[in-house]
Amino acid sequence: MSSKKSFNDLGLKRELLSALSDLGYEAPTPVQEAAIPYLLDGEDLLAQAQTGTGKTAAFALPILSRCDMQVNMPQALIVAPTRELAIQVAEAFQSYAKHLPGFHVTPIYGGQDYRTQFKSLDRGPQVIVGTPGRILDHLRRGTLVVKQLATVVLDEADEMLKMGFVEDIEAILEQLPTPRQTGLFSATMPAPIQKIAKRYLRDAKKVMIKASQKQAAAIEQSYVCVTKNQKCEALRRFLEVEDVRAALIFVRTKVSTVELADRLQASGYAVEALNGDLNQARREKVIGRFKKGALDLVVATDVAARGIDVERVSHVINYDIPTDVESYIHRIGRTGRAGRQGKALLFVTPRERRLLKDIEREIHAPIERIDPPTVAEMSERRLDELAVAVSNIIEKSKKLGPYQKMVADLIEDKNCEVHDIAAALAYMLQQANPLPAEEMDTVSWDDKPPKQRRRRGQRRHPAERRAAARSRKPVRG
C-alpha cells in the first residue's frame, strides 16, 4: 500500500520534485512522509527506521530545500559510520540536486588523500558528508569551517555506536555552533543513543517507523541445518539451483572472506572478497564492479559491508550466522529493496540453534527450514539451462554449417539417430563439470561434532576464548 501523500504535498522545492521525477520516485516512504515536514520546519528530529526505508532522502531533501546556493560554505553536516555510506549519501545528495545550480557536496573520510579533501573544502560546498574520525580531524585543523552550519544529521547512529564512535560524535557536536538543527537517524534505539538524543537534541520530534509487513514479506527467509564441513558444498548447490542475480555472502572473519571467495572462484563464479584489510581504492573498485554487474557474488564481513546499497542484490546468504539479531536484520535488509522480491538464506550448525531461536523471537516469525538441493534438482536445472542455450544458438548462430555436416556424417557412417548424437554431446559438456556423486547427509539438531581434547598446556583458539568469555557474562533482563 503506497503512501497517501505525494512528494508535491511535502513543501519541497520544485527543482527537487523535478529530480525525483527523473529518478523515478513515485511516492514518499513512511519515514520520508513523516520526517520531511519536521526537518523543513527546522525542528530537531529523532527517527527510528530500518535499513532500506529511504532514510537518506528523508533528510537530504529538506536540507537541500533549506540550503542557500549563493552561500559557498558548509550549511549541513552528515555524519556516517563508514566511508562507503559517506560516499553513497554524497552521491544521493548530488542526484537530488541535479537541477540546483551552484550546489556542491563533499565527502570526507579516512583513507582519502588530505590534499584532495583540502581542495574540495576550499570550493565551499554547502553539504559535508563524512566519517567521525575525519570530520573531527578537519575541525581540529580548522579546514572544516562551520560558522554557517545550520543542520547536522547523525546517520545510522546505532552503527556508529557499535563501532566505538560515541566519543568522536560527542566531540563533534560540542564544536558545532548553536542554535542549530540536529537530526538523529537509527535502526535501533539503545540507551547510549537515547542519551545522546536527550543531551544534544532540543524538543525533538519523534518518528518511529516499524518494519512493515510488506517489507518483511518482500524477503523470503529460510535456513538450512548443516555441519561446518558441509557449508561450502551446500552453498555451491544453492547458487547453482537458485536464480541469483547478485548475492552478498556474510562470514565472520576477514580470513574467511578470502578463503571462501577463492573456493567459489575455483568453481567458476565471478566473486570477490570484501574486508577491512582492503585499501580504500580496492574496496571502491569491488563495490563498483558489484553494482555494475561485473561481479555476481561478494563475500564480506559485517564491518566491510556497512553502507553497501546495491539494488540488484537478490540474495543475502548468512554463511556464518551472526551472533546478534540486529546484525541479521541489517544483513537481510540489503535485499528485497524497492518493491523487489529478495531471499535470505541462513546456514546453521547444530550448536548454533540458540542463535536461530533468538532471531526468530526478535522477528516474531519462524524461519522455514529447507534442505540443500538434491543431485536430481541440480541435474534438472543444468538440463534446462542447456536447452535454453542450445535453442538460442540454433536461432541466432550462422556458424553451424561444419557441425551440421559432422552430424550428417555420423548419421550416415555410424547409423546414429539425431537425438542420440545430441544426447552424447550434452553428456560430454556435463563431464566438464560433473554432478556430485551422492546426496548430502541430512543434519539433525541432535548431531554434535566430536569433542577434540586439548593436550595439557595447549592454548585455546582465540575464537574459543571469546566464546567462553561470552558464556560467563551475566544475562541482563
Side-chain angles (χ1 to χ4, degrees):
M1 190 169 130
S2 62
S3 172
K4 293 179 182 178
K5 289 187 177 180
S6 73
F7 283 108
N8 293 327
D9 300 322
L10 299 181
L12 297 169
K13 285 183 177 179
R14 58 181 179 80
E15 292 90 348
L16 297 175
L17 297 174
S18 179
L20 292 172
S21 178
D22 293 345
L23 293 167
Y25 285 38
E26 295 178 354
T29 65
V31 70
Q32 292 164 2
E33 182 179 325
I36 287 173
Y38 287 138
L39 293 176
L40 280 174
D41 287 343
E43 302 277 5
D44 281 10
L45 181 69
L46 178 63
Q48 180 176 355
Q50 295 295 322
T51 300
T53 53
K55 296 197 300 290
T56 303
F59 59 77
L61 295 172
I63 284 173
L64 288 168
S65 278
R66 287 161 55 88
C67 271
D68 185 347
M69 303 308 160
Q70 305 303 313
V71 176
N72 293 322
M73 294 186 73
Q75 298 165 50
L77 173 67
I78 318 300
V79 188
T82 66
R83 55 190 81 172
E84 287 80 17
L85 184 59
I87 293 168
Q88 181 181 307
V89 170
E91 289 174 348
F93 267 95
Q94 200 68 60
S95 62
Y96 300 144
K98 62 186 293 187
H99 299 305
L100 292 173
F103 174 76
H104 294 288
V105 58
T106 292
I108 55 175
Y109 48 85
Q112 187 184 42
D113 184 66
Y114 272 101
R115 288 170 297 180
T116 301
Q117 293 180 0
F118 293 153
K119 288 178 182 177
S120 296
L121 291 168
D122 284 343
R123 284 205 306 267
Q126 289 84 10
V127 175
I128 305 292
V129 188
T131 51
R134 189 55 65 98
I135 289 173
L136 196 55
D137 197 15
H138 280 288
L139 285 171
R140 288 168 174 165
R141 288 170 179 261
T143 47
L144 174 53
V145 180
V146 293
K147 61 183 179 182
Q148 291 289 332
L149 195 79
T151 302
V152 60
V153 171
L154 307 179
D155 190 16
E156 303 227 5
D158 53 350
E159 290 296 313
M160 290 193 278
L161 172 68
K162 284 184 187 178
M163 297 170 72
F165 287 136
V166 171
E167 291 183 2
D168 285 353
I169 291 169
E170 291 182 338
I172 290 168
L173 294 174
E174 291 289 349
Q175 295 188 53
L176 301 182
T178 56
R180 62 167 184 270
Q181 180 184 44
T182 304
L184 190 155
F185 286 77
S186 186
T188 58
M189 286 291 168
I193 296 295
Q194 295 178 40
K195 182 179 177 183
I196 289 174
K198 186 175 180 180
R199 182 174 178 184
Y200 293 102
L201 274 62
R202 300 169 295 108
D203 301 321
K205 303 297 183 183
K206 293 183 179 180
V207 170
M208 304 292 167
I209 306 295
K210 293 183 179 179
S212 68
Q213 292 300 316
K214 180 178 178 182
Q215 183 184 6
I219 304 173
E220 181 184 319
Q221 300 177 59
S222 55
Y223 78 90
V224 58
C225 188
V226 289
T227 66
K228 183 178 179 181
N229 292 335
Q230 287 178 322
K231 281 186 178 182
C232 193
E233 171 62 18
L235 176 60
R236 288 195 189 103
R237 292 189 180 207
F238 279 109
L239 291 174
E240 183 161 335
V241 170
E242 290 281 322
D243 290 316
V244 178
R245 289 193 307 274
L248 268 172
I249 304 170
F250 284 96
V251 295
R252 286 200 188 106
T253 68
K254 291 183 281 190
V255 171
S256 296
T257 63
V258 177
E259 290 178 348
L260 183 56
D262 286 347
R263 295 175 77 175
L264 292 173
Q265 281 179 354
S267 298
Y269 290 102
V271 55
E272 290 274 8
L274 189 67
N275 61 57
D277 285 346
L278 299 184
N279 62 38
Q280 182 58 18
R282 180 64 180 159
R283 287 158 69 96
E284 290 178 9
K285 184 177 181 181
V286 170
I287 294 170
R289 294 183 67 210
F290 192 45
K291 285 183 176 180
K292 294 174 184 175
L295 292 176
D296 297 324
L297 312 173
V298 166
V299 185
T301 56
D302 277 322
V303 172
R306 283 174 185 149
I308 295 180
D309 184 3
V310 179
E311 285 191 358
R312 58 186 290 267
V313 171
S314 59
H315 289 66
V316 169
I317 300 173
N318 288 280
Y319 190 83
D320 292 331
I321 189 171
T323 53
D324 65 279
V325 177
E326 289 176 11
S327 292
Y328 175 80
I329 293 170
H330 276 291
R331 287 179 181 186
I332 70 169
R334 290 181 171 89
T335 187
R337 298 287 186 95
R340 296 180 176 87
Q341 286 294 119
K343 287 190 176 184
L345 177 63
L346 179 63
F347 287 2
V348 187
T349 65
R351 65 171 51 181
E352 294 168 334
R353 186 178 188 180
R354 181 185 59 79
L355 295 174
L356 172 66
K357 293 301 179 185
D358 289 345
I359 291 170
E360 290 180 323
R361 191 180 306 114
E362 182 68 22
I363 67 175
H364 306 295
I367 299 176
E368 179 189 6
R369 176 171 177 166
I370 60 175
D371 293 323
T374 63
V375 175
E377 289 170 333
M378 296 172 69
S379 176
E380 182 180 356
R381 176 72 181 212
R382 289 188 186 187
L383 291 174
D384 287 344
E385 291 178 346
L386 181 60
V388 170
V390 170
S391 177
N392 287 338
I393 290 173
I394 291 172
E395 289 178 10
K396 299 174 183 177
S397 179
K398 299 178 182 179
K399 300 178 181 179
L400 295 180
Y403 304 100
Q404 290 168 337
K405 182 178 184 304
M406 179 197 74
V407 171
D409 291 343
L410 282 171
I411 293 172
E412 182 176 347
D413 296 344
K414 303 294 184 181
N415 197 26
C416 298
E417 297 289 340
V418 172
H419 63 270
D420 288 333
I421 297 171
L425 291 170
Y427 174 79
M428 289 171 61
L429 282 174
Q430 172 63 51
Q431 296 315 294
N433 182 22
L435 287 163
E438 54 189 29
E439 304 293 356
M440 288 184 63
D441 292 334
T442 302
V443 178
S444 163
W445 285 126
D446 297 326
D447 292 341
K448 293 182 174 64
K451 289 185 178 179
Q452 294 182 339
R453 296 184 61 186
R454 276 193 309 279
R455 295 186 301 276
R456 186 182 298 274
Q458 180 180 349
R459 298 187 65 191
R460 287 179 175 180
H461 186 277
E464 289 184 276
R465 294 200 296 273
R466 288 194 296 271
R470 282 197 300 270
S471 70
R472 291 195 296 270
K473 288 183 179 178
V475 178
R476 297 181 180 176

